[in-house]
Amino acid sequence: EALPFVKFRGRYHGQAYWADGDGGNEHAWENRRIRLGLDFVLSEKLEFAFDLNMGRESDDDVIENFDFVSLNVALSDNTALSIGKLRRNPLTREDSISSNKILTLERSLLTSRFFVDNVGGIFVVHQDGDWAFGAGILEGSTEDELGLPSLDGATMFKGNIARQISDATEVRFDYLYNPGDADNNDVEPYRHVVSLNSYTRSGRWGLITDIIYADGLPEARGDLYGVVVLP
């Protein structure tokens, strides 16, 4: 495609539910996600992009907030930098899969308990053969109105390292450090989160595994740990 160019994107996810029990029954349709976004590809090395979360009910505002907004720069063929309100960078295997591609109605309860929402910061990724590295400095707070990054919270650190151990399997280690500032309103109350995970794919078949531990801050009422196995 000729440069520069603009790409328009949209996403809609809806789901129906029906419940019947001793306490009564209920059924409805839920608008799970409605997003509209633009990618401004300015050159082979520079892109500006954003997604807007749109109102899902008739009495909502037309625009709820920014899901993400970022400036992406290719520093070299193998290294890229992003700055802004960033899409979630890897923290557990399930959470790093787009909601367009997850194979279940929702991510597992274990994974959903402590994921970090899209927050402001800077993140760098680097590929070196079979190895991939990522590291970033993030702010855990966002504004209420449009969800843009705020400087009220404390700085967090996030990193990951991955290796392609065969043609079919990648193994990755993810880590998040959260100092526990009460103003970090888009972070769950865990100081250290670690995940050792893998993804295997061969033809039509695949397997995700994840061993997860999260060191709870006082308001978390304990640590969180478990295993996810998802064929």
Side-chain angles (χ1 to χ4, degrees):
E1 298 180 63
L3 295 172
F5 67 88
V6 178
K7 180 169 68 176
F8 174 79
R9 288 177 292 99
R11 178 182 311 194
Y12 175 78
H13 295 162
Q15 56 197 30
Y17 64 88
W18 176 73
D20 187 9
D22 295 338
N25 61 74
E26 185 176 355
H27 60 88
W29 178 268
E30 178 188 12
N31 296 315
R32 183 67 180 87
R33 299 177 184 89
I34 305 174
R35 291 179 188 161
L36 296 176
L38 288 174
D39 294 342
F40 297 90
V41 181
L42 305 174
S43 72
E44 292 183 354
K45 295 187 176 182
L46 185 63
E47 174 187 277
F48 175 75
F50 68 84
D51 265 7
L52 294 168
N53 287 315
M54 312 302 292
R56 293 169 291 170
E57 305 298 337
S58 58
D59 56 348
D60 289 343
D61 294 335
V62 175
I63 297 174
E64 289 186 353
N65 53 40
F66 279 96
D67 185 64
F68 81 92
V69 52
S70 66
L71 181 69
N72 308 308
V73 183
L75 301 178
S76 70
D77 290 342
N78 300 322
T79 306
L81 177 149
S82 297
I83 184 169
K85 182 181 182 182
L86 306 177
R87 299 184 201 229
R88 296 202 298 268
N89 289 288
L91 185 64
T92 76
R93 181 62 61 165
E94 279 186 286
D95 193 43
S96 59
I97 300 174
S98 166
S99 58
N100 281 331
K101 297 181 179 180
I102 57 176
L103 300 180
T104 52
L105 289 174
E106 297 290 350
R107 296 175 177 91
S108 68
L109 179 60
L110 174 64
T111 297
S112 299
R113 280 293 304 275
F114 56 77
F115 68 63
V116 178
D117 210 342
N118 295 350
V119 292
I122 184 169
F123 204 86
V124 178
V125 295
H126 176 72
Q127 185 83 33
D128 185 4
D130 292 334
W131 293 88
F133 307 89
I137 297 173
L138 307 174
E139 290 290 328
S141 61
T142 53
E143 297 174 359
D144 291 336
E145 186 170 350
L146 286 176
L148 292 172
S150 165
L151 298 179
D152 292 338
T155 300
M156 305 182 299
F157 171 78
K158 195 173 186 182
N160 60 277
I161 180 170
R163 187 170 190 271
Q164 194 75 29
I165 61 173
S166 72
D167 291 340
T169 301
E170 180 191 70
V171 175
R172 195 179 71 217
F173 177 78
D174 304 327
Y175 171 72
L176 171 75
Y177 171 71
N178 168 25
D181 193 312
D183 288 327
N184 281 358
N185 55 0
D186 280 325
V187 184
E188 298 301 324
Y190 298 96
R191 188 178 302 281
H192 302 281
V193 180
V194 294
S195 164
L196 178 62
N197 57 75
S198 72
Y199 175 68
T200 299
R201 183 66 183 266
S202 179
R204 296 175 58 196
W205 299 94
L207 180 69
I208 288 172
T209 67
D210 212 332
I211 302 170
I212 297 166
Y213 174 77
D215 174 29
L217 292 162
E219 55 268 37
R221 296 179 298 174
D223 300 339
L224 183 67
Y225 50 89
V227 175
V228 174
V229 178
L230 178 62

